[in-house]
Amino acid sequence: MSLVLIIADREDERQVAISRGLELASKMGWGAQVAAFAYESLSAMGVKETSKRELIRKKLLARRKTEVEAQVNRLKPSGLRVAVTVVWQKSVHLWIDQQCARKEYAAVIKTGHRTESFVYTPTDWHLLRECPAPVIIAAEKKWRATKPIVAAVDLTSNSRIKRQLNDAVISTAKRYAEALGCGVYVLHALHIPAVLTELDLVDEYSHTQKLKDELQPRLIKLASNHGISMKNIKLKQGPVEKVITSEAARLKAQLVVMGTVGRSGIKARLMGNTAERVLTSLRTDVLTLKPWA
């Protein structure tokens, strides 16, 4: 049986990820593991003795586990198997990455915390860039089972890896849609750099039509390979993050599935990636897949 790893929200927050993750696990036929974290800098608090530190750790972990188990018992659907793990860990993303390297998960689900500065990268961004498993960043809006799933793809790339990632994104979106009882829309953004139109180097309308004509054979093949109606494949002009955000809002999508190629180091800090830019403004759940996931 496949397993989903659900990251419990902090004690003072609504348990969005637990609620969403347990419902999703039930509908997808998965088992569920809920991971919660506790950490205090005991040395900074003046606790010097090793035995006393260990006693405090045990008490804090036991209290946290009792809280999370009560939340799980209140929220879990009937018949769903759920394991609860509580870990003493400051760097949550490191534990998640190590756990996913040891065990295969169908997805990791975590509530989104969409703030970032240059000097601090939240757990969300770390997971998008580094986690080997598919990652679902859950928004606080309610799950709407009657709304569609959007599969965001890049149809212009000739890269074999990106084409394989497109297929994985669409196949995954279809699998979720079948379990959740909703439709699938495939979305591609036709991005024309603003500088080209501002300098009158290209005519926006004619260039867009040319791109659509060039993509038509790929659209037909994609629709045939995945059994998707052509009317559910959308080409929209604009920057990728704006197109995805506006179309997801228009369709009231409950989930956006997209690929992401993780970056690390200073390059990631300066550039980010499309999934990260989408998350800054999108107010629905996002499922990201990496080429190796």
Side-chain angles (χ1 to χ4, degrees):
M1 174 185 288
S2 296
L3 193 65
V4 63
L5 179 61
I6 302 166
I7 308 305
D9 292 297
R10 293 187 289 262
E11 297 175 59
D12 58 344
E13 297 175 332
R14 286 181 56 220
Q15 297 303 312
V16 175
I18 290 180
S19 177
R20 195 73 48 80
L22 294 179
E23 183 178 0
L24 185 61
S26 179
K27 291 182 176 179
M28 297 292 289
W30 297 335
Q33 178 183 355
V34 176
F37 299 87
Y39 182 82
E40 294 290 345
S41 179
L42 300 180
S43 59
M45 294 168 60
V47 182
K48 304 298 184 182
E49 300 89 344
T50 301
S51 59
K52 191 171 183 180
R53 287 188 190 181
E54 185 62 26
L55 178 61
I56 293 173
R57 275 198 294 267
K58 286 181 178 180
K59 287 186 175 181
L60 290 175
L61 287 170
R63 186 186 71 176
R64 184 75 172 116
K65 187 168 186 178
T66 298
E67 291 171 348
V68 174
E69 286 178 337
Q71 293 161 352
V72 168
N73 290 333
R74 185 176 72 253
L75 295 169
K76 74 173 182 177
S78 177
L80 180 65
R81 295 177 59 185
V82 184
V84 174
T85 302
V86 181
V87 183
W88 188 265
Q89 175 64 261
K90 182 179 180 180
S91 300
V92 172
H93 69 280
L94 293 179
W95 183 89
I96 296 171
D97 288 349
Q98 292 166 2
Q99 185 72 7
C100 290
R102 289 194 297 265
K103 185 184 295 185
E104 186 173 345
Y105 290 94
V108 173
I109 182 165
K110 180 188 175 297
T111 305
H113 297 287
R114 298 177 174 91
T115 59
E116 184 176 42
S117 67
F118 185 78
V119 295
Y120 173 68
T121 303
T123 300
D124 298 16
W125 303 154
H126 277 297
L127 294 179
L128 290 177
R129 296 167 187 171
E130 302 159 9
C131 183
V135 175
I136 297 175
I137 302 296
E140 290 197 60
K141 67 180 290 188
K142 291 183 179 180
W143 194 271
R144 297 179 181 272
T146 59
K147 304 303 180 182
I149 289 175
V150 171
V153 296
D154 177 6
L155 299 177
T156 58
S157 176
N158 291 315
S159 163
R160 178 180 58 84
I161 291 176
K162 285 198 173 181
R163 288 193 177 189
Q164 290 175 342
L165 190 55
N166 285 339
D167 286 332
V169 165
I170 297 171
S171 298
T172 300
K174 287 185 63 180
R175 189 164 65 251
Y176 275 70
E178 183 179 353
L180 298 172
C182 62
V184 173
Y185 281 82
V186 177
L187 177 63
H188 169 78
L190 298 167
H191 179 43
I192 303 172
V195 66
L196 298 182
T197 56
E198 289 169 0
L199 297 176
D200 292 325
L201 296 176
V202 299
D203 175 73
E204 190 171 348
Y205 176 79
S206 60
H207 191 66
T208 298
Q209 289 304 121
K210 180 183 177 183
L211 289 175
K212 287 183 177 181
D213 292 340
E214 290 175 351
L215 286 175
Q216 193 65 18
R218 293 189 182 184
L219 298 183
I220 294 172
K221 183 178 180 180
L222 182 132
S224 174
N225 288 347
H226 291 279
I228 294 175
S229 170
M230 287 288 289
K231 69 179 182 181
N232 283 3
I233 302 177
K234 308 293 183 181
L235 302 181
K236 297 289 182 178
Q237 184 195 337
V240 177
E241 58 270 25
K242 290 185 178 180
V243 167
I244 293 174
T245 300
S246 62
E247 280 299 291
R250 185 183 69 82
L251 294 167
K252 294 183 172 61
Q254 62 174 306
L255 179 67
V256 171
V257 184
M258 62 189 303
T260 179
V261 179
R263 295 187 177 97
S264 59
I266 193 70
K267 188 175 182 181
R269 298 282 181 103
L270 293 174
M271 298 177 64
N273 62 40
T274 301
E276 293 171 18
R277 295 196 298 273
V278 167
L279 275 172
T280 61
S281 54
L282 191 65
R283 291 297 176 261
T284 190
D285 295 355
V286 177
L287 166 58
T288 63
L289 303 175
K290 296 181 183 66
W292 62 82

